[in-house]
Amino acid sequence: MSGLLALLTCLAFTSAAAKPNAGLKTWGRFRKLPYPGDKAFLYDTFPEDFIWAVGTAAYQVEGAFEKDGKGLSIWDTFTRGGNRMATGDVGSDSYHNLRADIRAIKQLGVSHYRFSLSWSRIFPNGTRGSHNEIGTNYYRTLIKMLKDIRVQPVVTLYHWDLPDHLQQTLGGWSNPEMVGIFKDYADFCFQTFGDDVKYWITIDNPFVVARHGYGTGVVAPGIKNDPDLPFRVGHILLKAHAAVWHLYDRLYRPRQQGQLSMALASHWIKPSRTRLESLRECQCSLDHVLGWFARPLFTDGDYPPCMKERLGSRLPSFTPEERAQVNGTADFFALSHGAALSFQLINDSLKFGQLEELDLRMLLYWVNAEYDKPPIFVVQSGWYVLGNTKTEDPKHMYYLKRFIAEALKSIIIDGVNVIGYTAWSLIDGFEWHREYGIRRGLYYVDFNTLDMKREPKTSATFYRNVIQRNGFPELPENRPAQGIFPCDFAWGVSANSIQVETTPSQFADPSVYLWNISNNGELMRLEGVTAPPVRRTTHCADYATIRQQVDEIRRVGVNHFHFALNWSAVVPSGDVAHPNSTLLGYYRCFTRQLLQANITPVVTLWHHTRQRSSLPPPLDTANKWLNRWGTPEAFADYARLCYRELGAHVKMWITLNEPNDEMVSYQEGHQMLRAHALAWHAYDREFRHSQGGKVSLALHMDWVEPAFSFSREDVEPAKRVLDFRVGWFAEPIFGSGDYPLGMRSWLRQLNSLDLPVFNEEDRQLEDSYTYRAMLEVQHMIDTTWIMSPRPVVPWGLRKALNWVREHYCDVPVYVMANGVQEDPARFKDSLRVYYLYNYINEALKAYTLDGVNLKGYFAYALSDERDPGFGMYGHVQEEVIIKASLSNYRNIIQHNGFPIQGAPPQQCPSMPQPCLGCHVLVKRPWPVVGFLTLVGSGVLITLGLIIYYTAKRHKECY
């Protein structure tokens, strides 16, 4: 009776401590983490005793399927049946290439190597009576060689390759007799290898073994007739594991001091909706895959309630004694994550209407919460590449980086006790149901060579570097910089266009109103009464939209505003002799009002977009930039018109905005370069001496990072891409006056295509700039980068700025448009706040540390109304909303960067206030002076008369 009481007390205590369904809080917790700060890459290191491992499975890599007395496994039989096209008979032939594998393990620098024992190589028919000494010695040799290079073995007793004899005679894992047989096999392994093994895995991924080996038939032994059989198999697998754990705990742990667990695999799932029902369905999905085996081991010795409710009698039940036998039989949580299961062997029926995704960090947190904070050893993690991939495997490398980074955040930020990480796998091999169609190895195996030559992939080099540094230690370039920009730094904001109001909104209402000044001061409109039309000249003050837009720009705190004119609207016919004078007048008023607000206008003549050419209709319909009437010449005439009409107020001009689009042909680009040069020279010859302005063009720039920075083969192509994308337009203007030499030679080599040739007149392109304008964004996808929807990689801006400095010396640089797209409904636009802070900080590093001649920075964009998703102003119906990013950007501007705390404030000379009418006094002083004298005399005479009559009236009162 006392024994039963003790048992019940133990069960009650375990249940209380484990807090079932505690993992349900995971989704809510991560939803509340600060965005995007929590998504940013974490530079830090793992604990000093962290386990760095790599792994393989016997059937995938060993080969030698009939050699030295080995018996057949269920995979040897399974791969010869049905529509199977390949076998693992040879695999990577590790049986004959042990030294090559050991050499690879040593090169990686791991502390542990996970491998599995081939049960049928040790016991050919599955039982001790068939013991094969040669097969056993193979593993003795492997363990000894690992010991020689100071690598600890992590040994899996069963990784899916059951001796075929047991399947044929007993029905494999569907037979309860397997519990005792597996226990005896484990006993032999503990006795034979246990003195040198501190980590044991009994069974790998029992979910796949049960569901797909005995349910769907996707993997060996390929049984698929009985829908309830997987649950009976899972039941037996749990009992077999528990029996082995108790055997080790009782007979071997006291001497060998090892630890033992079962490797459990899981996907991750996120709710399709934010409702509690969706969260419960996510929890149930994890329970049906991971919880099926984890809850009996770590919580209460029984299956998850969700499984019991939905499966009913189909799910076997444990007796109280069995629950006590199973519960607590894992010394650590062995977690498998990645391509073996995720998006491969989880069908929709197990997702319960929710969405599967890859998120190791959230899975680790869920396991930690759901199973009462166990030590977690990630015993399999990684991704895959296609079977034709050789040694360059960027996809696998970046997934490894992502998973390792998530494990680091789990430790540092979430407080999860992750004790180790295992990259999967060491070498390419036979990939189960996908055969040789994919590769998962860190080392490439050439299956067509006799010796199965191994070569390290890029992922291997990456993993070795991570291990050497024990994670991702923070480097000086990763830290935020402190410092300020020069006093004359141009702080700006950009917009693709401005709101144009060709009909003045002021004084346009003909209605008559009564002003109720004695009560509430309201204006009451008189029905049926209209005022006569006002015949007056339009003034700049008549445009309410100008005042509104300039006021919005002023509130940002910038001293420059960049916007584009509409060529097709300014000169609809293409003939500058017949411009849209009303529109030009509006632009003139707009730039004038900017100057009055101490904001320098920066005006683009032509803004390239993929959606529309923005060329005047006659040019647009006549082959655009390649028409025979000369679009470059027409553009130069249009530029002259703008210089003449707006040049008094505009001192910074951009001819072409981002013409270096990948959709633009080389012939079109050539004509665009000619157009820029003609417009620049027109300004230089005809307007610069009187207006004193500057002219350049703005180039779009995507920084291109070599996928493998440690590979020379990738560095050169990355340089070439920059030549093609940026040097294409930059080199003719800022460099040699011709296209990059490498660009010409590569095109000739590639397909005999030649670039257009500049004649002597065209070569005047060189030096046709006054300043350099550019926009930086990233294209290469590293899975650890923040996406929105394009990558957010602040350090790319610094590298891009340095590329310009290295190629074009001390050319002045303006970052003309730098911004990020975010949901317009997010007025607390935390991503944009993060973006602006970090990109500007990288710009500061380029200026202060690298010596880049950086003259200005323009945030993109002003308002969602003109640039949806990019604005610092939002709009709800008629209301304008100031987003959080605007205040943050203004604060950076006010401090002129990121000043060192405690440093004296920057002393800058006060900027002169603009005087738009002063040029009138300079050019025509005498008429103005005469007019002012006349007005002053009239005022004096009026004041004298007022004083005289006031005094006279006062005298008469007496």
Side-chain angles (χ1 to χ4, degrees):
M1 184 67 183
S2 61
L4 178 61
L5 178 63
L7 171 65
L8 293 175
T9 304
C10 177
L11 287 175
F13 173 78
T14 303
S15 300
K19 300 177 184 176
N21 289 328
L24 192 63
K25 67 183 180 182
T26 301
W27 294 274
R29 187 257 183 185
F30 278 85
R31 194 164 54 243
K32 294 176 183 176
L33 291 177
Y35 177 81
D38 183 66
K39 294 292 183 184
F41 193 82
L42 175 64
Y43 291 98
D44 212 323
T45 55
F46 287 85
E48 288 299 319
D49 59 349
F50 192 75
I51 296 171
W52 292 106
V54 68
T56 57
Y59 184 75
Q60 293 184 283
V61 301
E62 280 184 4
F65 83 109
E66 284 184 317
K67 189 160 186 183
D68 294 337
K70 178 187 175 295
L72 294 178
S73 75
I74 55 175
W75 275 93
D76 293 322
T77 305
F78 179 67
T79 53
R80 285 165 170 76
N83 297 320
R84 306 293 294 186
M85 302 295 292
T87 72
D89 292 355
V90 179
S92 315
D93 202 20
S94 285
Y95 191 79
H96 298 108
N97 285 280
L98 203 51
R99 292 190 181 280
D101 288 351
I102 292 294
R103 187 163 54 249
I105 294 167
K106 185 176 181 180
Q107 286 175 353
L108 286 176
V110 294
S111 60
H112 291 67
Y113 174 53
R114 182 189 170 197
F115 64 93
S116 72
L117 305 174
S118 172
W119 189 345
S120 59
R121 193 178 296 282
I122 296 174
F123 292 169
N125 72 4
T127 60
R128 191 185 290 254
S130 64
H131 170 235
N132 176 21
E133 185 64 21
I134 299 177
T136 304
N137 284 337
Y138 169 75
Y139 296 111
R140 285 195 182 103
T141 302
L142 172 57
I143 292 172
K144 181 182 182 302
M145 293 176 75
L146 289 172
K147 191 174 181 179
D148 289 344
I149 62 170
R150 298 183 180 180
V151 172
Q152 294 292 321
V154 179
V155 180
T156 302
L157 295 172
Y158 178 70
H159 200 129
W160 305 7
D161 52 348
L162 185 73
D164 189 59
H165 180 76
L166 297 178
Q167 183 63 41
Q168 301 301 329
T169 58
L170 299 176
W173 289 106
S174 65
N175 193 321
E177 291 183 33
M178 284 296 300
V179 174
I181 294 172
F182 184 62
K183 179 181 176 183
D184 188 54
Y185 161 61
D187 183 51
F188 174 84
C189 295
F190 294 151
Q191 187 177 10
T192 306
F193 312 117
D195 288 342
D196 295 312
V197 178
K198 303 305 177 187
Y199 287 95
W200 291 95
I201 304 293
T202 56
I203 299 166
D204 181 86
N205 206 336
F207 170 84
V208 170
V209 174
R211 182 176 179 85
H212 295 293
Y214 293 84
T216 65
V218 171
V219 301
I223 296 171
K224 50 185 175 182
N225 297 324
D226 184 351
D228 296 342
L229 181 59
F231 304 114
R232 298 198 298 273
V233 168
H235 202 67
I236 292 168
L237 289 169
L238 279 165
K239 289 183 177 180
H241 160 81
V244 169
W245 187 90
H246 284 288
L247 169 72
Y248 187 84
D249 190 56
R250 187 175 66 256
L251 299 182
Y252 295 99
R253 192 191 305 276
R255 179 169 57 87
Q256 296 179 356
Q257 296 294 305
Q259 298 183 61
L260 185 144
S261 190
M262 175 189 268
L264 306 180
S266 185
H267 61 313
W268 183 248
I269 198 92
K270 67 177 182 180
S272 57
R273 298 182 179 180
T274 55
R275 297 175 182 174
L276 182 59
E277 293 81 3
S278 292
L279 295 179
R280 286 174 176 158
E281 291 299 286
C282 288
Q283 182 85 0
C284 197
S285 175
L286 293 172
D287 277 343
H288 273 73
V289 179
L290 182 59
W292 180 3
F293 299 94
R295 187 180 174 107
L297 297 181
F298 291 93
T299 303
D300 58 5
D302 202 359
Y303 297 116
C306 174
M307 285 189 75
K308 295 167 76 172
E309 291 168 8
R310 301 196 183 193
L311 295 172
S313 61
R314 297 176 61 195
L315 190 66
S317 58
F318 291 108
T319 65
E321 292 78 14
E322 289 172 336
R323 289 177 62 186
Q325 177 78 0
V326 171
N327 185 32
T329 57
D331 301 318
F332 56 94
F333 200 110
L335 180 65
S336 177
H337 172 264
L341 191 68
S342 297
F343 294 97
Q344 305 290 322
L345 296 174
I346 300 291
N347 56 29
D348 289 341
S349 66
L350 290 173
K351 298 176 187 176
F352 304 125
Q354 309 312 306
L355 306 172
E356 186 179 2
E357 70 173 4
L358 282 173
D359 199 314
L360 177 58
R361 181 185 173 190
M362 291 186 73
L363 178 60
L364 289 168
Y365 188 87
W366 186 87
V367 169
N368 181 71
E370 186 75 6
Y371 302 114
D372 199 24
K373 304 179 180 179
I376 304 173
F377 187 177
V378 179
V379 294
Q380 181 177 156
S381 178
W383 205 240
Y384 65 91
V385 293
L386 295 179
N388 59 2
T389 307
K390 294 192 176 180
T391 58
E392 293 193 353
D393 57 343
K395 181 179 177 183
H396 190 193
M397 181 183 75
Y398 284 120
Y399 272 104
L400 268 179
K401 180 182 178 183
R402 171 180 171 177
F403 297 147
I404 295 170
E406 288 178 353
L408 181 62
K409 281 186 177 181
S410 188
I411 296 169
I412 302 296
I413 299 174
D414 306 331
V416 178
N417 185 17
V418 183
I419 63 172
Y421 180 89
T422 307
W424 201 269
S425 65
L426 173 66
I427 54 178
D428 293 330
F430 179 83
E431 289 299 334
W432 308 114
H433 62 292
R434 301 192 68 174
E435 301 176 347
Y436 297 101
I438 63 171
R439 292 175 179 263
R440 297 190 62 194
L442 298 177
Y443 280 75
Y444 170 76
V445 175
D446 188 343
F447 297 114
N448 296 317
T449 58
L450 290 176
D451 61 349
M452 297 286 176
K453 183 180 178 182
R454 280 99 161 111
E455 292 183 67
K457 299 182 187 179
T458 310
S459 55
T461 306
F462 166 78
Y463 192 46
R464 182 179 68 232
N465 290 340
V466 171
I467 294 170
Q468 287 175 348
R469 295 177 297 175
N470 199 31
F472 309 99
E474 186 180 49
L475 301 174
E477 57 262 32
N478 304 136
R479 301 183 188 120
Q482 288 186 300
I484 52 178
F485 292 97
C487 289
D488 61 348
F489 194 73
W491 289 105
V493 63
S494 294
N496 284 340
S497 61
I498 60 172
Q499 183 179 349
V500 174
E501 177 189 21
T502 54
T503 303
S505 55
Q506 293 287 85
F507 313 112
D509 185 359
S511 301
V512 176
Y513 296 85
L514 285 179
W515 186 10
N516 185 0
I517 61 173
S518 61
N519 193 3
N520 55 11
E522 289 186 354
L523 289 174
M524 295 181 294
R525 184 171 176 272
L526 296 179
E527 296 294 336
V529 181
T530 58
V534 178
R535 301 189 181 277
R536 57 186 291 273
T537 304
T538 300
H539 298 286
C540 291
D542 297 345
Y543 296 106
T545 55
I546 290 180
R547 290 201 312 278
Q548 176 189 337
Q549 291 178 91
V550 171
D551 190 52
E552 289 178 356
I553 297 164
R554 183 186 53 77
R555 284 204 294 264
V556 180
V558 295
N559 50 37
H560 287 67
F561 177 64
H562 172 213
F563 70 98
L565 307 180
N566 188 332
W567 183 5
S568 62
V570 172
V571 190
S573 66
D575 184 358
V576 294
H578 302 92
N580 184 337
S581 300
T582 304
L583 181 58
L584 281 170
Y586 183 87
Y587 284 139
R588 193 180 303 111
C589 287
F590 185 80
T591 54
R592 178 188 175 90
Q593 291 296 110
L594 284 174
L595 285 175
Q596 287 184 336
N598 291 323
I599 298 168
T600 300
V602 183
V603 177
T604 289
L605 295 174
W606 182 71
H607 182 85
H608 170 71
T609 61
R610 293 186 181 182
Q611 291 76 19
R612 60 186 186 278
S613 72
S614 299
L615 298 176
L619 297 176
D620 187 54
T621 56
N623 212 12
K624 298 181 174 57
W625 284 97
L626 300 177
N627 74 76
R628 55 183 166 178
W629 290 286
T631 300
E633 288 74 16
F635 180 77
D637 290 338
Y638 159 64
R640 287 187 181 90
L641 171 68
C642 296
Y643 298 154
R644 186 166 55 249
E645 296 293 329
L646 307 177
H649 303 144
V650 178
K651 305 304 177 186
M652 296 180 73
W653 293 96
I654 291 175
T655 56
L656 310 173
N657 192 75
E658 301 182 21
N660 56 325
D661 188 279
E662 60 187 15
M663 302 302 292
V664 172
S665 71
Y666 295 131
Q667 295 293 338
E668 289 175 312
H670 194 74
Q671 297 306 314
M672 290 178 185
L673 281 166
R674 289 189 63 243
H676 161 76
L678 291 171
W680 187 91
H681 285 291
Y683 190 85
D684 191 52
R685 286 192 298 265
E686 304 169 31
F687 299 94
R688 192 187 303 278
H689 69 280
S690 60
Q691 296 181 1
K694 303 175 182 179
V695 180
S696 188
L697 83 170
L699 297 182
H700 177 94
M701 186 170 186
D702 294 326
W703 176 247
V704 180
E705 184 79 3
F708 316 113
S709 57
F710 35 78
S711 168
R712 292 181 181 178
E713 294 179 1
D714 280 2
V715 172
E716 286 306 315
K719 292 179 179 178
R720 190 180 306 124
V721 170
L722 288 169
D723 270 347
F724 270 74
R725 293 185 179 178
V726 187
W728 174 23
F729 273 73
E731 185 64 22
I733 296 173
F734 305 103
S736 64
D738 196 4
Y739 296 115
L741 182 61
M743 187 178 179
R744 281 196 184 278
S745 60
W746 182 259
L747 285 174
R748 288 196 191 105
Q749 175 186 337
L750 193 65
N751 53 14
S752 301
L753 174 68
D754 208 351
L755 288 167
V757 177
F758 293 108
N759 57 35
E760 286 305 313
E761 183 180 352
D762 292 336
R763 285 185 179 275
Q764 293 181 13
L765 281 166
E766 187 177 3
D767 294 333
S768 61
Y769 71 94
T770 313
Y771 65 97
R772 167 82 165 91
M774 54 180 283
L775 165 67
E776 189 282 329
V777 228
Q778 296 287 335
H779 270 312
M780 189 186 68
I781 305 303
D782 176 336
T783 54
T784 63
W785 291 346
I786 299 170
M787 300 292 294
S788 181
R790 300 175 67 126
V792 175
V793 191
W795 50 260
L797 175 57
R798 182 181 179 187
K799 292 196 173 187
L801 291 169
N802 273 282
W803 184 90
V804 175
R805 178 183 61 82
E806 290 164 7
H807 283 73
Y808 306 113
C809 300
D810 199 38
V811 59
V813 183
Y814 288 74
V815 178
M816 292 306 301
N818 188 231
V820 67
Q821 188 173 6
E822 191 169 8
D823 183 358
R826 291 176 65 100
F827 298 135
K828 189 177 179 181
D829 52 345
S830 52
L831 175 60
R832 188 169 293 107
V833 170
Y834 171 89
Y835 185 99
L836 291 173
Y837 178 92
N838 286 280
Y839 273 76
I840 296 172
N841 197 266
E842 292 296 325
L844 178 67
K845 293 176 187 177
Y847 170 72
T848 58
L849 303 178
D850 307 330
V852 175
N853 188 11
L854 185 62
K855 293 294 187 179
Y857 176 91
F858 288 66
Y860 177 77
L862 179 66
S863 169
D864 283 335
E865 190 173 34
R866 310 302 296 176
D867 302 284
F870 286 89
M872 290 186 282
Y873 283 101
H875 294 265
V876 178
Q877 296 176 346
E878 299 298 319
E879 184 180 2
V880 177
I881 307 294
I882 297 176
K883 297 184 184 180
S885 58
L886 189 149
S887 302
N888 281 268
Y889 185 41
R890 183 173 59 216
N891 183 60
I892 294 172
I893 294 171
Q894 287 172 348
H895 291 88
N896 206 25
F898 310 91
I900 300 171
Q901 189 172 6
Q906 186 179 23
Q907 300 297 323
C908 291
S910 58
M911 299 298 291
Q913 299 297 312
C915 178
L916 299 181
C918 293
H919 69 284
V920 178
L921 294 176
V922 173
K923 292 181 180 179
R924 292 185 289 251
W926 296 116
V928 174
V929 171
F931 172 75
L932 292 177
T933 303
L934 180 62
V935 171
S937 301
V939 169
L940 290 173
I941 292 170
T942 303
L943 287 173
L945 291 172
I946 291 171
I947 295 169
Y948 171 76
Y949 284 107
T950 301
K952 183 178 180 181
R953 185 178 176 184
H954 181 71
K955 188 182 291 182
E956 289 173 351
C957 291
Y958 290 96

